[in-house]
């Protein structure tokens, strides 16, 4: 697999190099590691945001903190009224 890093895609090279530095490995292993980790981090983040012991404001702050360029977490409240 090849990943374009020329022209408009130059930012990808920086992202891959940051991942390689973070994981302390070569670029290929860094890409694979990041691909393995992201779905797990997203699932864990969802579980945190769904906790009942957090206020709405806390959830929104956590969502903002965890959001990135590629993954955004939003916290919404739903109020439903049913009449007979």
């Amino acid at each position: 697999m090849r990943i374009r890093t020329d022209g408009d895609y130059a930012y990808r090279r920086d992202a891959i190099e940051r991942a390689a530095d973070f994981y302390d490995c070569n670029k290929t292993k860094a890409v694979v590691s990041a691909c393995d980790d992201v779905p797990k981090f997203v699932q864990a983040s969802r579980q945190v945001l769904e906790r009942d012991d957090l206020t709405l404001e806390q959830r929104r702050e956590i969502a903002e903190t965890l959001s990135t360029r590629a993954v955004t977490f939003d916290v919404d409240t739903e109020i439903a009224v049913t009449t007979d």
Side-chain angles (χ1 to χ4, degrees), residues 63-73:
E64 183 178 339
T65 299
L66 295 175
S67 292
T68 66
R69 180 184 60 79
V71 178
T72 303
F73 295 93

Side-chain angles (χ1 to χ4, degrees), residues 35-68:
C35 290
D36 286 342
D37 286 348
V38 168
K40 293 174 186 174
F41 285 129
V42 169
Q43 180 58 34
S45 299
R46 284 182 178 147
Q47 288 176 340
V48 167
L49 293 171
E50 292 172 356
R51 287 177 34 182
D52 292 334
D53 62 330
L54 298 173
T55 66
L56 178 59
E57 184 62 27
Q58 288 171 321
R59 289 179 190 175
R60 286 184 174 156
E61 288 175 5
I62 293 168
E64 183 178 339
T65 299
L66 295 175
S67 292
T68 66

Side-chain angles (χ1 to χ4, degrees), residues 21-32:
D21 289 343
F22 175 80
Y23 287 108
D24 192 27
C25 62
N26 66 46
K27 291 183 238 178
T28 300
K29 185 168 175 25
V31 169
V32 172

